[in-house]
Amino acid sequence: EQNRLRLQRITSRYAHRAAQARSDAEGDAGFLAAFGRVQDEVLRPVMEDVGAQLRAAGYDFRIAAGGEEKMPAIELHVMIPDRGESKDTIRFFARKYEEKGWQVIGEIELKGSPVELTRFNAGEPIARDVAEHLVVEAVEQMLAATGGRRR
């Protein structure tokens, strides 16, 4: 009788852990799908619009989606002549933290380590006007570092 009760407790704990793992996996998949939609419907169009304006001003740009499966990203790389080692990249990526859960992080990378621009917690909307403001601010930082050189 004692072993039967013990086995019942063990299988009950395992069933709870398995259900939690399934729930976590479904939550992760839902967040990643939502971030994919934000990339396609908000971030990429904003980057394309800003890039077109930069191109009209004499600069070139490239947009790339990438990152890892569990840490997807989209980047706007502004091509500024005579910048040597500078990466001139604006990046938005998703990352899951143990305590905070999923977040979308916006950052700019010039010559040194990337500098965080903002964070959005899971469930917080990323509006087009907010994304556009962040991208334009980052471009301003890039161009301020160049002294205004053009292609």
Side-chain angles (χ1 to χ4, degrees):
E1 179 65 23
Q2 185 178 10
N3 285 332
R4 186 181 64 75
L5 292 173
R6 181 176 174 208
L7 188 55
Q8 194 174 30
R9 284 191 308 272
I10 292 168
T11 57
S12 176
R13 272 195 309 260
Y14 174 77
H16 176 72
R17 285 187 200 136
Q20 183 63 44
R22 278 192 303 278
S23 176
D24 288 350
E26 289 170 3
D28 291 352
F31 176 85
L32 292 170
F35 181 64
R37 285 189 299 277
V38 168
Q39 282 180 296
D40 294 343
E41 298 169 10
V42 177
L43 299 173
R44 180 176 291 278
V46 163
M47 290 176 172
E48 288 170 348
D49 289 349
V50 170
Q53 292 176 48
L54 287 168
R55 185 170 280 143
Y59 299 94
D60 205 0
F61 72 98
R62 182 181 72 243
I63 297 171
E68 302 167 19
E69 182 182 347
K70 294 288 185 179
M71 205 166 88
I74 186 165
E75 299 179 343
L76 170 65
H77 175 69
V78 180
M79 290 164 225
I80 303 171
D82 302 323
R83 290 281 286 159
E85 298 294 314
S86 186
K87 294 188 171 83
D88 299 319
T89 300
I90 302 159
R91 179 180 306 110
F92 290 88
F93 64 95
R95 179 179 223 154
K96 186 174 184 180
Y97 293 91
E98 188 69 34
E99 292 184 17
K100 297 177 186 177
W102 281 104
Q103 293 187 326
V104 174
I105 300 156
E107 65 183 19
I108 181 172
E109 187 172 5
L110 301 174
K111 291 186 178 192
S113 297
V115 175
E116 184 175 307
L117 299 169
T118 192
R119 284 180 185 246
F120 299 92
N121 291 315
E124 283 185 80
I126 301 174
R128 181 183 170 84
D129 62 330
V130 172
E132 185 174 60
H133 176 78
L134 291 167
V135 171
V136 169
E137 286 282 323
V139 167
E140 182 179 25
Q141 289 181 42
M142 285 177 193
L143 295 180
T146 68
R149 285 180 294 236
R150 288 191 196 166
R151 235 168 82 136

